Amino acid sequence: MANLFVDGKYGDRGIILGNEAIARGALEAGIGYASMYPGTPASEIIIALDKNKKNIKNIYTEFSLNEHISLHGAIGASWSGIRSLCAMKNVGLNVASEPAHFLAYTGVKAGLVLAIGSDPGAPSSSNEQDDRWYSLHTYMPIIEPSNIQEAKDFTKKAFDISEQFSFGIVLMAPSRLCHNAGILHFGDCLNRDLISGNFKRDPENYLNLFNLAVKNHKKYLKRNELLKKYVYNSELNMIIDAQISSIKSSRIGFVSSGVIYSHLVEALNFINADDYKILKLGITFPLSEELIGKFLDNVDEVVIVEEAEGFLEFQIKKIAFEIGYHGKIHGKNIFKAYGELTIDDVIKGVAGFLRKAVPEHFSAAINKSEILSDKIPQRMGTFCVGCPHRATIYSILKASGYSNTDSKDRDVIIAGDIGCYTLGLLPPYNAMDWLTCMNSGLSIGQAISIADKSKKIIALVGDSTFYHSGIPVLMNAIQNNSNILYIILDNSWTAMTGHQKTPSTKTEIDGTPIPNSVNLKDLLKSLGVSYIKTLDPNSVKRFSVIIKEALKEKGLRVIIAKRECILQEERRKKIKNIKFKLENNPEIIYELQKERCVKCDECFVELACPAIQSAKENGINNGKEYYFIDPVSCVKCGVCYEVCPNSAIRKVEFNLHPSINSESQLCFLNNK
Amino acid sequence: MKKFNIAITGLGGQGIITAGTILKNAVLDSVMQDVSGSERRGGAQREGYVEAFVKYIFYDSIAELQNSRKNMHSPMIASGDADALISLEPLETLRAVSYINKNSVIIFNTNTHIPISVRMGKDKYPELDDILESLYGITNRVFYYDFNKLSLENFGSIISCNVISLGVLFAKTNIPVSKNVIENILLKGSKAEDNLKAFNIGLNL
Ligand code: SF4
Ligand code: SF4
């Protein structure tokens, strides 16, 4: 496909991801600045712009060190007259909440949109928070698109609203929209030649202190009132009237927004109840009292269909109280406030409320899957094959003596943190004692080291998380002489969100050196850390000895577990092979000799590399089970070779040569 | 309005999302068609469970296309509402039975991938016969193959499992999309030759 994302014009159509549609909307609106701290499900919003930046005139993209910086950056661009887009995941707003709270006071110059990827059900997050509640005190207006087309159109529109009322606009997109892919009808882009910055002093608005702050507060409350008038007339909100006004159906109304609105429309069709009044809210803050009043006036009962704690219900009930509405308002009495609100939940809730039957195939499927559900073992994610984090977690567990147990009491406490290594909290490792927000590991750990002196504490952190907000925590720990072992898992990339650079990434994936990269060790030294050791985590034996030693010491100790993310390492190899045709290098393979293996489970369960697999002798059900290394998925990291206590795993080095002498070599060659 | 819903499930790295995107591109041929469907990737880059929905919508009239009661589609498939289920792992097939009904077609890969709990001896991986029994208890239109083996034999890697399974989808269901449309999409993509071959392998299974 030609690059429609960049070159698409009015009349073009394409299949595009929700996140890309948001980015495209911003592009059509003529943004010149885009920033984010990467976070699922929002990452592709800025990735889409960043990877195309060579073909987009006058665009600056930035993966900032954290959300606080990222939003401030977007504000700076806006004040310089450049439309800016900032994106983050739901919890990112906690970090950026400071600039978010000032933005209404100071206002914007050029339009500013803050796109937030929320994550109901928390498949990729440490909580389910609904960031819409922030707007009750940040006064940032909220726009909620329901599908791909709206994601683009509403984003584009948001820039105009932002400029007209001088607010930064929040664009809410749950993971179901971020990662939906569908048809987009493109629009035209504003002329990108016109983008150029010009910061003009504006002390009245930008100096926000003492009585100036009070003045600004008053000003934005007034702007908010003006905005409500706009909201009343905005085409982003829509009242869909009932067509056949039977008495019953015309006195019931539904209110919804965003993706949940799409569930609602489908649910009503699903149960053949498609003739009720619906208020679709595209702008969910501020609400227009007039609009809500107009809708309520015509119904005796209203059902608010939304996810999480009921942000719309809260606002609508307040308005209903003020206008003296006497009907019934339903919401969280029907729909749960936790977890993702699925299409099933909406079908059940709406059918239950309307006393309509659900289709037979729907209830049959639910029954069937309930019966089957306990037969189905859960599948949880784990580290990639060859991931250095697996080796780190394994070494820590070996050194502290807690492998493969989830016992309640341990003498060594292991603090988790946010990143790929978070997966170490899952079985078989069960390695972590808490996992909340960015840099909670060392922060909470240093206090526990004071509160409970009988325990030894290991705090983990990834390189990207460390640079995000870990440096102040570390300085605090140094200053207060915390008794803690801090392990920095430095894999050179923000791997979980698609391998963005971190400050200490030394070379680009194609080998280009990055000149201003930070030397982590020097940085630690200058912060005053005296105990620093750098190790390759894949040398698990040595690594666990060093951890054991470090646990005996007092004070703040840092170990850097340094090895590049395996996915990036593999990519580099591929590029190199193409560049230099390194075909004649000796090949290494690892072979599990089943005659020598005693199935002690050290590699299969403790290390649990997914490339080590089991099969039944002769492929029959009651055959004896044996372990083998799947040559297709093994990346030859050699860790299993180190951990096998029975020398059952063999390292075979050979040049690609006619004398092929083993089954797995043959297999390896066949798969090459 | 006609609809055709496809759920695709499996593990990270199996090309589930790519398969979904290929299918979605098929609607660009006509303005009377629409598509919705989200993807869900479990926590990990690899190994976690992944799911992609493809919901085809064929409008009967322009009026229907413009009707706001009809032209908005959830990105999820409701229980029992999938016309076809493609699963690239047996256990994941079982996990996805909530989407299927007695008329659905199930296409799945028999190559297993053992979850951690089974490695640890805490759970048992169901035998293929048990899985089949459960599936046949719902629909008798079940088709299963070792896609890994087919892909390895033909392409030297397991990378083509997803496209082979798409071929099977076109062979075994009454999907209201022409297979030529898919072939054209594959032709325009990367590794066109391999993908076309893989698609045809699936078509002839
Ligand atoms: S060498 Fe061993 S631990 Fe490393 S990827 Fe291969 S099987 Fe897994
Ligand atoms: S560690 Fe060695 S002996 Fe133990 S199961 Fe693995 S290969 Fe067999």
Side-chain angles (χ1 to χ4, degrees):
Chain A
M1 188 170 72
N3 196 345
L4 273 183
F5 177 78
V6 176
D7 303 320
K9 291 185 300 294
Y10 179 79
D12 287 336
R13 295 187 319 145
I15 297 292
I16 194 170
L17 199 64
N19 277 338
E20 293 166 343
I22 293 170
R24 170 67 195 190
L27 211 52
E28 290 185 7
I31 55 154
Y33 189 101
S35 60
M36 92 178 306
Y37 179 75
T40 315
S43 305
E44 295 86 357
I45 299 174
I46 304 300
I47 290 174
L49 293 161
D50 183 68
K51 73 175 182 205
N52 287 302
K53 67 183 168 200
K54 283 201 185 96
N55 301 316
I56 303 171
K57 212 169 177 184
N58 291 329
I59 188 122
Y60 171 82
T61 58
E62 172 178 303
F63 291 106
S64 319
L65 281 200
N66 66 38
E67 295 86 348
H68 188 267
I69 302 170
S70 174
L71 181 54
H72 270 129
I75 293 171
S78 157
W79 287 358
S80 307
I82 295 211
R83 286 188 164 185
S84 58
L85 173 70
C86 177
M88 57 188 60
K89 66 181 293 163
N90 59 345
V91 288
L93 189 53
N94 298 335
V95 181
S97 78
E98 237 178 330
H101 278 89
F102 282 97
L103 195 47
Y105 281 80
T106 62
V108 304
K109 271 280 132 47
L112 185 154
V113 171
L114 170 57
I116 295 179
S118 63
D119 201 24
S124 333
S125 303
S126 54
N127 83 18
E128 298 194 288
Q129 79 186 43
D130 178 0
D131 282 348
R132 299 182 302 176
W133 293 96
Y134 266 109
S135 288
L136 294 177
H137 36 112
T138 63
Y139 277 78
M140 290 179 83
I142 303 169
I143 291 186
E144 291 187 51
S146 295
N147 63 9
I148 303 289
Q149 191 63 39
E150 289 186 358
K152 194 272 282 174
D153 294 344
F154 285 17
T155 306
K156 193 174 186 178
K157 188 81 197 162
F159 284 94
D160 296 334
I161 302 174
S162 171
E163 276 161 22
Q164 194 177 341
F165 297 94
S166 197
F167 283 114
I169 311 283
V170 169
L171 187 104
M172 286 297 293
S175 32
R176 286 286 173 198
L177 177 59
C178 295
H179 294 157
N180 184 358
I183 299 182
L184 180 71
H185 297 257
F186 288 75
D188 285 326
C189 288
L190 291 184
N191 185 351
R192 300 200 61 82
D193 290 330
L194 304 178
I195 298 169
S196 90
N198 182 8
F199 178 85
K200 291 216 179 78
R201 290 196 73 216
D202 184 2
E204 262 200 35
N205 285 310
Y206 301 164
L207 295 179
N208 207 66
L209 191 83
F210 309 140
N211 63 328
L212 293 172
V214 178
K215 244 167 72 190
N216 281 343
H217 191 176
K218 188 174 163 194
K219 275 198 293 193
Y220 81 66
L221 289 176
K222 211 165 140 198
R223 295 203 308 273
N224 186 54
E225 288 308 311
L226 290 176
L227 176 59
K228 284 181 185 173
K229 295 219 167 66
Y230 172 94
V231 170
Y232 177 72
N233 290 309
S234 169
E235 76 277 16
L236 269 54
N237 299 318
M238 195 163 68
I239 292 180
I240 305 168
D241 272 318
Q243 289 153 350
I244 319 149
S245 350
S246 79
I247 302 296
K248 187 173 156 257
S249 68
S250 63
R251 300 309 295 172
I252 291 175
F254 291 92
V255 181
S256 194
S257 66
V259 168
I260 305 300
Y261 167 78
S262 74
H263 291 343
L264 172 67
V265 170
E266 191 161 317
L268 289 171
N269 281 314
F270 200 75
I271 57 168
N272 289 318
D274 64 346
D275 205 28
Y276 292 91
K277 285 196 184 72
I278 306 175
L279 172 59
K280 174 189 191 296
L281 292 171
I283 303 176
T284 52
F285 185 90
L287 294 188
S288 147
E289 285 91 358
E290 231 179 309
L291 180 72
I292 301 297
K294 184 171 136 189
F295 187 73
L296 291 182
D297 252 358
N298 288 306
V299 290
D300 300 328
E301 276 190 275
V302 59
V303 183
I304 300 161
V305 191
E306 65 181 320
E307 215 145 33
E309 281 88 349
F311 176 69
L312 294 177
E313 185 177 350
F314 175 85
Q315 294 185 84
I316 290 172
K317 280 187 169 161
K318 180 167 173 280
I319 295 171
F321 174 78
E322 279 161 3
I323 63 173
Y325 177 65
H326 291 298
K328 272 196 196 146
I329 298 176
H330 305 275
K332 288 296 131 183
N333 56 335
I334 299 176
F335 301 103
K336 62 182 189 192
Y338 56 86
E340 180 179 28
L341 199 65
T342 62
I343 176 79
D344 279 15
D345 292 325
V346 177
I347 292 171
K348 283 185 225 163
V350 170
F353 176 78
L354 296 173
R355 295 170 204 274
K356 284 251 186 186
V358 294
E360 199 271 328
H361 74 278
F362 177 74
S363 36
I366 290 176
N367 289 342
K368 261 276 178 311
S369 72
E370 268 167 16
I371 295 167
L372 281 176
S373 69
D374 29 292
K375 261 210 218 168
I376 308 172
Q378 263 213 1
R379 188 183 300 275
M380 291 191 258
T382 187
F383 303 111
C384 300
V385 173
C387 174
H389 294 331
R390 173 179 287 110
T392 300
I393 299 289
Y394 174 86
S395 306
I396 292 172
L397 290 172
K398 290 293 144 181
S400 53
Y402 297 113
S403 57
N404 199 357
T405 93
D406 201 14
S407 63
K408 278 262 176 296
D409 286 308
R410 296 176 177 182
D411 294 330
V412 180
I413 290 175
I414 306 170
D417 223 307
I418 309 287
C420 284
Y421 51 102
T422 301
L423 294 165
L425 66 77
L426 297 174
Y429 315 107
N430 300 311
M432 285 165 193
D433 289 313
W434 65 89
L435 194 277
T436 57
C437 53
M438 299 287 275
N439 288 293
S440 62
L442 183 59
S443 305
I444 294 177
Q446 63 182 3
I448 294 180
S449 80
I450 293 163
D452 178 354
K453 298 210 164 49
S454 72
K455 302 269 175 23
K456 293 184 164 135
I457 301 170
I458 300 175
L460 307 181
V461 74
D463 45 345
S464 179
T465 301
F466 174 70
Y467 291 115
H468 174 280
S469 48
I471 295 173
V473 187
L474 179 59
M475 291 175 78
N476 193 74
I478 296 165
Q479 236 177 21
N480 297 304
N481 197 24
S482 296
N483 191 20
I484 205 159
L485 171 59
Y486 195 39
I487 300 183
I488 304 179
L489 297 88
D490 181 3
N491 69 358
S492 300
W493 300 95
T494 312
M496 199 148 209
T497 49
H499 300 100
Q500 292 80 14
K501 276 181 280 191
T502 79
S504 54
T505 309
K506 286 206 173 53
T507 45
E508 302 273 7
I509 194 71
D510 60 6
T512 320
I514 300 168
N516 47 2
S517 80
V518 171
N519 182 315
L520 179 56
K521 198 167 172 188
D522 289 351
L523 172 68
L524 294 171
K525 272 193 207 152
S526 70
L527 295 177
V529 186
S530 51
Y531 187 115
I532 309 170
K533 296 211 160 136
T534 307
L535 276 146
D536 177 356
N538 279 8
S539 313
V540 283
K541 271 191 192 144
R542 193 156 158 260
F543 195 13
S544 41
V545 169
I546 300 288
I547 296 171
K548 234 183 217 163
E549 276 171 13
L551 277 174
K552 287 183 201 139
E553 303 285 328
K554 287 265 172 307
L556 189 104
R557 295 135 280 154
V558 177
I559 296 179
I560 306 172
K562 192 165 177 49
R563 193 181 178 94
E564 185 169 36
C565 168
I566 184 70
L567 298 185
Q568 294 293 80
E569 198 189 308
E570 294 276 293
R571 273 175 206 139
R572 269 189 214 283
K573 258 193 231 156
K574 254 192 208 152
I575 293 171
K576 246 195 186 158
N577 279 345
I578 294 168
K579 257 196 189 158
F580 304 110
K581 299 218 180 327
L582 293 175
E583 273 149 11
N584 295 329
N585 266 10
E587 291 286 354
I588 293 171
I589 56 165
Y590 291 93
E591 228 180 3
L592 197 158
Q593 300 160 277
K594 66 177 174 194
E595 327 65 64
R596 300 190 71 152
C597 172
V598 299
K599 287 176 69 193
C600 69
D601 279 348
E602 196 61 35
C603 65
F604 187 71
V605 176
E606 301 277 313
L607 179 66
C609 170
I612 302 170
Q613 297 175 2
S614 72
K616 297 273 166 66
E617 210 84 64
N618 307 322
I620 47 173
N621 275 349
N622 48 4
K624 224 176 92 198
E625 192 191 29
Y626 67 94
Y627 298 156
F628 68 99
I629 292 176
D630 170 25
V632 180
S633 42
C634 169
V635 297
K636 302 155 197 98
C637 71
V639 174
C640 58
Y641 172 65
E642 266 209 43
V643 310
C644 174
N646 303 304
S647 311
I649 295 176
R650 192 156 76 111
K651 180 180 181 179
V652 190
E653 217 168 303
F654 64 98
N655 285 302
L656 294 181
H657 197 266
S659 60
I660 291 155
N661 52 11
S662 96
E663 201 184 315
S664 28
Q665 282 175 14
L666 204 67
C667 186
F668 170 75
L669 287 175
N670 283 340
N671 294 325
K672 231 180 126 74
Chain B
M1 184 188 305
K2 234 181 12 195
K3 292 184 177 188
F4 195 87
N5 294 339
I6 304 151
I8 312 174
T9 66
L11 306 181
Q14 288 188 317
I16 305 292
I17 291 173
T18 311
T21 310
I22 293 170
L23 290 178
K24 283 176 176 172
N25 271 286
V27 300
L28 289 171
D29 276 13
S30 154
V31 285
M32 296 296 281
Q33 294 179 16
D34 203 345
V35 69
S36 182
S38 60
E39 327 161 336
R40 175 136 290 185
R41 315 151 201 225
Q45 299 253 14
R46 302 266 165 101
E47 308 297 326
Y49 114 103
V50 177
E51 172 181 87
F53 297 138
V54 180
K55 300 171 68 178
Y56 287 122
I57 298 107
F58 306 86
Y59 296 110
D60 294 331
S61 63
I62 297 282
E64 195 175 59
L65 172 92
Q66 288 165 346
N67 181 347
S68 41
R69 287 181 187 279
K70 303 286 174 202
N71 65 7
M72 185 62 77
H73 310 280
S74 159
M76 299 177 82
I77 294 178
S79 281
D81 216 27
D83 297 287
L85 165 68
I86 297 177
S87 169
L88 296 186
E89 208 279 344
L91 189 60
E92 297 317 304
T93 319
L94 215 46
R95 206 185 307 283
V97 295
S98 62
Y99 300 125
I100 57 176
N101 62 54
K102 60 182 194 298
N103 299 315
S104 310
V105 174
I106 301 175
I107 296 157
F108 79 96
N109 182 4
T110 52
N111 192 280
T112 59
H113 200 102
I114 310 289
I116 295 292
S117 58
V118 173
R119 275 179 190 244
M120 295 173 75
K122 292 191 171 166
D123 280 316
K124 227 180 100 30
Y125 194 100
E127 299 291 348
L128 182 61
D129 289 345
D130 292 340
I131 294 177
L132 285 171
E133 197 189 309
S134 300
L135 300 179
Y136 281 124
I138 302 169
T139 167
N140 50 17
R141 300 162 77 188
V142 184
F143 304 92
Y144 53 101
Y145 313 89
D146 189 337
F147 289 131
N148 283 51
K149 201 169 151 221
L150 282 165
S151 177
L152 262 173
E153 280 170 4
N154 286 284
F155 305 97
S157 85
I158 53 172
I159 199 165
S160 299
C161 293
N162 58 347
V163 180
I164 300 177
S165 76
L166 291 184
V168 182
L169 174 75
F170 279 78
K172 307 292 182 198
T173 69
N174 54 352
I175 181 170
V177 168
S178 148
K179 68 176 173 42
N180 301 338
V181 176
I182 300 294
E183 283 172 339
N184 279 330
I185 292 164
L186 294 175
L187 257 176
K188 281 184 231 152
S190 59
K191 296 204 173 161
E193 211 176 296
D194 279 2
N195 279 335
L196 270 181
K197 187 174 160 199
F199 187 66
N200 274 290
I201 291 171
L203 274 177
N204 294 314
L205 282 177

